[in-house]
Amino acid sequence: MLKNESEAVLARLEALEASVARAQGAIPTLIPGSADCENALPPPQKVGSFRLIEKIGHGGMGDVWLGKRDDGLYEQKVAIKLIQRHALVRAAAAFDDERRFLARLEHPNIARLIDGGVTEDGLPWLVMEFVEGVPIDVASVHRTDHQRVALFIRVADAVQYAHSQLVAHADLKPPNIIVDENGRVKLLDFGIAGLIGTGARGAVGSGPVTREYASPERLKGEGPSVGDDVFALGKIFARMLEGSKDTDLAAIARMAQNQDRALRYGSVASMIADLDRWRARLPVSAVTDRWRYRAKKFVGRHRVGVLATAGSLVLLSATSVIATSSYVRAERERGEALARFEDARGSAHYVSFDLLNSLAARPGTLALRINAARVAQHYLDRLAESRSAPPAARLEAAEGLLRLAAAQGRPGDPNLGQVDAAKRNLQRAWQLAGEVDGTKAQLLKVRIRLDQARLVSIAENNIDRALGYLGEARNLLDRNKTAPALLRAQYYFELTSSLEWKGEYAAAIRTVHMAKAALPPGEARDTLLLNAAIEDLLAEANFYSVGGMAAIAPYRQALAVLERADALFPKDQIIARRLMRARWALATTIVDNGEPGRGAQTDRAIERHWPEHRCF
């Protein structure tokens, strides 16, 4: 069957077979010091609800089995990872980390975790989505460059998503990226993944790497990082491009795998942005800026216009030469500006929309949050200063500044205490949103005014100014009858808060009930948090206007809502913080108002939960 293939294809297939053989089934990566064990005990016939059918992969850390659901509920084919007993001591920590990371990641291009546990004799196991296909470099052999780029962007997007969850894969290679017969891409094997910024894993060290795809810093012993994954993606992309003659794509691959980390793409998002520019036939940042290169890109995008211009040269040579030169120069400048703009836009979106939110929900990340805020400020400032940015990008910049301001100094949420920076960014966001027409811009302006009202009322105790901001927010809401119910409830919540700060408790009680009436149904995270905050405000208004006994019922309701939120989102540290505060508020109010027994019970509940949250 292969006799009719060219020598180049045969050589490529031979190289691919060697690569697959070296990968030893891809799952998992070999760990130094581990070795195959000929006399290993046989695996269990069944784990959980799944029966082991046949071994489909093997490595130093464990085996991968094809499995099927065996509880009669429905048919399901799965992949079962079972750690080998001889590797238990060295690999158990990595295996446990993989289960933890996979439980955090939900992305269409990441193989899904289905179940996990430990056998009766103490061997950990994972049940994962079964993916049937070929490694991504094999799948790329007979595809066009555009098809290869489309495949690669899917896996790059999955890696970028993992980074937004603070997870670096640390072992990216073609056998860990499978493409099925329908062209669907799945990223596998987070067996040696690590949290970004935490250094090398102590239990396993930095040894378990695939050297062909590991960055220089990883080979030196550094822990998993964004730069390490970018380097591996560059290596993978270069393999996918074998046989391609496209110099721009080759330059992108080279930049990603530069030996100097500072000269690589700063993030996977930046690499994707360059590939998007390539697909749009725009200049890519990986190519050294040259006039001829920019002109060639221009001609490629405007071939008809250039040919027409060339024809006109026969009649109007002098005039046309000047016009064409000016046009190409203008196009060159536009391309340069667009490249810079897209870099800033992609980086700003990643840091302000993904990274800062992830860090805020995790304890012990203050230094990372300060650095992330500094990076976000740099890119958002560049984005905001671009006068040629389209309306959607200006709104995106305003949204990013709003989120950054919240991370810097939004009262009531984890913040960096950078109040002045938060004020400046909120005002800049207001100006940007004001330059764009439409409902989306108006609703964004409502959110900005609400945050400004909270900031000046709490940080400056300037209630009159806060009420002025809230009045503007109310006018915008009145002009937008389709505004989300949650935003209207947030408006009444902020109004109640300002009235309480002013001491107008009777008015505050009226508006807090309006907030409760506006609150949408459901158990979305933001809805539950606002619901609990509204009950807390009602308790405080009752406490100061009627008395402590009147505060107990809403405090109990706030606690019940937060306990429900904690059950639904058990890893959310913001919910955990508010839950602790709600228990304290209820306990102290009960103690102060004649129910010491109930207060003591709640105090004990606080003590029982305190150890798991004491790092706040």
Side-chain angles (χ1 to χ4, degrees):
M1 179 175 179
L2 296 176
K3 291 181 179 180
N4 295 327
E5 296 289 354
S6 67
E7 292 183 4
V9 171
L10 291 173
R12 174 73 173 127
L13 290 175
E14 183 179 352
L16 292 172
E17 289 172 358
S19 172
V20 173
R22 286 195 304 272
Q24 297 196 33
I27 308 175
T29 297
L30 288 170
I31 291 181
S34 64
D36 293 342
C37 190
E38 295 180 359
N39 298 318
L41 295 176
Q45 293 183 343
K46 186 176 178 181
V47 293
S49 302
F50 302 89
R51 182 172 298 280
L52 279 68
I53 305 300
E54 62 175 320
K55 187 189 295 186
I56 56 176
H58 174 69
M61 207 168 91
D63 297 328
V64 183
W65 291 75
L66 174 65
K68 289 186 178 180
R69 180 173 284 276
D70 194 39
D71 57 6
L73 293 178
Y74 53 88
E75 298 217 353
Q76 184 180 26
K77 188 184 290 188
V78 297
I80 300 173
K81 295 186 70 170
L82 188 66
I83 199 169
Q84 286 284 3
R85 188 174 301 281
H86 70 273
L88 186 58
V89 175
R90 294 185 59 82
F95 205 82
D96 182 63
D97 281 352
E98 179 174 16
R99 179 166 52 192
R100 210 158 35 84
F101 293 148
L102 285 172
R104 179 186 297 182
L105 304 178
E106 294 183 9
H107 189 277
N109 298 116
I110 296 178
R112 183 169 48 94
L113 175 67
I114 297 172
D115 199 357
V118 180
T119 65
E120 293 181 358
D121 54 350
L123 296 181
W125 53 269
L126 296 177
V127 176
M128 299 175 59
E129 175 185 1
F130 177 73
V131 183
E132 192 167 8
V134 297
I136 193 167
D137 57 341
V138 178
S140 300
V141 172
H142 295 297
R143 295 179 188 263
T144 66
D145 284 342
H146 279 275
Q147 291 170 334
R148 291 168 177 172
V149 168
L151 282 180
F152 181 80
I153 285 179
R154 287 174 203 151
V155 70
D157 183 68
V159 176
Q160 171 69 18
Y161 166 76
H163 290 174
S164 75
Q165 302 300 305
L166 300 185
V167 175
H169 188 282
D171 194 27
L172 293 170
K173 56 189 177 186
N176 284 346
I177 307 165
I178 302 301
V179 181
D180 69 14
E181 60 182 6
N182 296 315
R184 289 182 296 240
V185 180
K186 290 288 183 179
L187 176 58
L188 313 175
D189 197 9
F190 281 76
I192 63 169
L195 284 176
I196 294 171
T198 58
R201 191 199 324 275
V204 182
S206 59
V209 295
T210 303
R211 300 187 66 86
E212 184 181 354
Y213 295 92
S215 65
E217 56 271 17
R218 190 84 169 103
L219 293 175
K220 291 178 182 177
E222 295 185 19
S225 68
V226 170
D228 186 51
D229 280 354
V230 169
F231 183 92
L233 285 173
K235 287 279 190 178
I236 292 166
F237 192 44
R239 285 193 65 84
M240 293 174 64
L241 291 175
E242 289 184 6
S244 170
K245 297 180 180 179
D246 192 290
T247 56
D248 283 6
L249 294 180
I252 291 172
R254 282 196 303 273
M255 183 172 178
Q257 57 183 307
N258 196 296
Q259 294 292 307
D260 186 344
R261 177 165 44 192
L263 298 179
R264 289 177 217 150
Y265 291 103
S267 67
V268 180
S270 297
M271 187 178 184
I272 294 173
D274 232 3
L275 290 169
D276 284 338
R277 285 193 287 273
W278 177 84
R279 292 203 287 190
R281 293 189 293 181
L282 292 167
V284 301
S285 64
V287 175
T288 304
D289 188 14
R290 296 190 306 271
W291 182 87
R292 290 181 182 275
Y293 170 68
R294 300 282 176 178
K296 180 180 177 182
K297 285 293 181 181
F298 165 76
V299 172
R301 292 196 303 279
H302 304 286
R303 188 174 302 276
V304 174
V306 171
L307 289 174
T309 302
S312 300
L313 284 174
V314 177
L315 300 175
L316 301 169
S317 57
T319 304
S320 297
V321 165
I322 295 172
T324 303
S325 176
S326 299
Y327 193 28
V328 171
R329 185 165 56 253
E331 177 67 14
R332 174 192 178 190
E333 293 171 355
R334 189 185 74 84
E336 290 171 348
L338 181 60
R340 290 193 298 269
F341 170 76
E342 288 298 334
D343 275 341
R345 185 177 185 179
S347 300
H349 189 281
Y350 166 61
V351 179
S352 59
F353 283 71
D354 298 328
L355 187 57
L356 280 173
N357 285 346
S358 298
L359 291 173
R362 307 184 194 286
T365 59
L366 178 59
L368 287 172
R369 286 160 58 199
I370 292 173
N371 187 54
R374 185 163 49 246
V375 173
Q377 187 73 68
H378 170 73
Y379 283 113
L380 286 168
D381 285 345
R382 287 178 58 190
L383 202 59
E385 290 166 3
S386 175
R387 306 311 303 171
S388 60
R394 304 191 75 72
L395 275 186
E396 193 174 304
E399 173 79 27
L401 289 167
L402 173 63
R403 290 171 180 255
L404 177 58
Q408 290 170 327
R410 188 171 191 261
D413 288 336
N415 68 76
L416 303 175
Q418 300 171 350
V419 176
D420 290 339
K423 291 178 186 175
R424 288 193 298 270
N425 284 326
L426 286 172
Q427 187 58 34
R428 187 69 180 109
W430 173 265
Q431 293 169 353
L432 285 172
E435 297 169 1
V436 181
D437 295 326
T439 300
K440 186 178 291 187
Q442 290 184 342
L443 295 180
L444 180 57
K445 290 171 71 175
V446 172
R447 293 168 54 204
I448 295 168
R449 282 307 194 219
L450 294 183
D451 272 17
Q452 287 178 312
R454 174 180 293 200
L455 194 60
V456 299
S457 65
I458 298 177
E460 299 178 1
N461 197 27
N462 192 336
I463 308 305
D464 290 337
R465 189 175 177 190
L467 291 173
Y469 284 142
L470 292 171
E472 291 183 65
R474 177 60 184 266
N475 290 335
L476 289 166
L477 285 171
D478 287 345
R479 295 203 299 268
N480 290 274
K481 302 303 183 183
T482 60
L486 188 67
L487 187 58
R488 293 188 182 277
Q490 183 73 41
Y491 160 75
Y492 286 117
F493 169 83
E494 298 295 350
L495 179 58
T496 301
S497 178
S498 292
L499 290 172
E500 287 193 10
W501 277 94
K502 198 172 183 180
E504 297 182 3
Y505 296 110
I509 290 174
R510 289 195 298 272
T511 56
V512 79
H513 284 293
M514 297 171 75
K516 291 181 68 172
L519 195 69
E523 294 186 325
R525 175 186 179 276
D526 290 347
T527 301
L528 290 172
L529 285 175
L530 183 56
N531 189 352
I534 288 171
E535 293 292 346
D536 187 78
L537 273 186
L538 178 57
E540 291 183 2
N542 284 344
F543 186 95
Y544 290 108
S545 64
V546 181
M549 290 299 294
I552 292 175
Y555 272 144
R556 282 194 179 125
Q557 182 60 26
L559 179 58
V561 172
L562 287 170
E563 286 177 338
R564 177 59 180 161
D566 189 52
L568 291 173
F569 309 97
K571 297 180 181 179
D572 193 308
Q573 301 300 320
I574 293 176
I575 292 175
R577 289 185 181 95
R578 296 193 185 182
L579 183 58
M580 285 297 303
R581 193 266 180 195
R583 290 193 176 110
W584 173 84
L586 177 58
T588 54
T589 304
I590 290 174
V591 170
D592 291 342
N593 289 274
E595 294 188 46
R598 296 297 300 277
Q601 292 174 13
T602 312
D603 275 338
R604 284 194 293 274
I606 293 175
E607 293 173 0
R608 189 166 61 251
H609 287 79
W610 176 251
E612 62 180 294
H613 300 310
R614 66 187 304 168
C615 57
F616 302 154

